[in-house]
Amino acid sequence: FFQANQATDINAILDEVSLTPFQSSCSSNILLNGDFHTGTTKYWRRYYGDPFLEIIDGKDGLGDYALKIYNREGNDDNSAKQDLQMGCLVEGERYYVQVEYRLEKNGVSFECDPTTDDAATRCLEFDIKSFDSQGDAHET
């Protein structure tokens, strides 16, 4: 699971990230530490390249934390990822992704445009990628 395809000069601040099945006997959030309440990046890693992942104060600033992804130079996929356990992931099933986020350019927050594919202004995109037994990637 990873956040992708944002212009490299855009910083993303993520909070309350969840991935849950629409219908399943597994009803809990599949992602770990998606609320960042541990105050750490535990379970989250760099995806592609060398972006910085930093825990910052969340929206209320009262013990709430968020993940800031920045220094994404070189590729628009330089971001954060989390490896998922296969337990609740079922081929062909639909999943609900929910995330609170803020985008920044040059330290200034801006509203994304959900109607465009322009990497400089579009909203965040999240992907799930699986790997077969030969290690070949397949986007879901």
Side-chain angles (χ1 to χ4, degrees):
F1 178 82
F2 63 100
Q3 179 265 315
N5 296 325
Q6 201 70 36
T8 58
D9 61 344
I10 304 296
N11 299 331
I13 293 100
L14 309 180
D15 198 2
E16 305 298 333
V17 184
S18 65
L19 173 69
T20 54
F22 274 132
Q23 297 177 341
S24 174
S25 59
C26 182
S27 61
S28 65
N29 184 5
I30 296 170
L31 292 172
L32 302 173
N33 194 28
D35 56 13
F36 306 102
H37 287 177
T38 64
T40 70
T41 58
K42 186 175 183 176
Y43 304 113
W44 293 88
R45 300 184 333 191
R46 294 175 179 155
Y47 177 73
Y48 201 79
D50 199 23
F52 293 152
L53 307 181
E54 178 183 355
I55 295 297
I56 63 171
D57 286 335
K59 62 182 177 255
D60 67 12
L62 303 171
D64 181 36
Y65 298 102
L67 177 66
K68 182 173 183 176
I69 307 162
Y70 62 102
N71 192 41
R72 301 177 46 254
E73 298 162 3
N75 187 301
D76 63 0
D77 281 344
N78 290 358
S79 188
K81 75 169 189 168
Q82 187 171 131
D83 294 330
L84 305 176
Q85 297 298 320
M86 294 303 296
C88 288
L89 292 176
V90 178
E91 184 177 351
E93 188 158 340
R94 294 176 35 196
Y95 295 87
Y96 179 68
V97 176
Q98 185 172 351
V99 60
E100 295 178 14
Y101 69 90
R102 185 174 81 232
L103 299 175
E104 293 179 344
K105 183 171 183 171
N106 299 322
V108 178
S109 297
F110 70 92
E111 296 253 346
C112 65
D113 181 353
T115 65
T116 186
D117 284 332
D118 179 4
T121 59
R122 69 177 163 213
C123 296
L124 291 183
E125 177 181 308
F126 293 87
D127 293 329
I128 296 175
K129 189 178 283 190
S130 60
F131 296 87
D132 61 25
S133 59
Q134 284 77 39
D136 295 325
H138 304 276
E139 287 195 31
T140 308

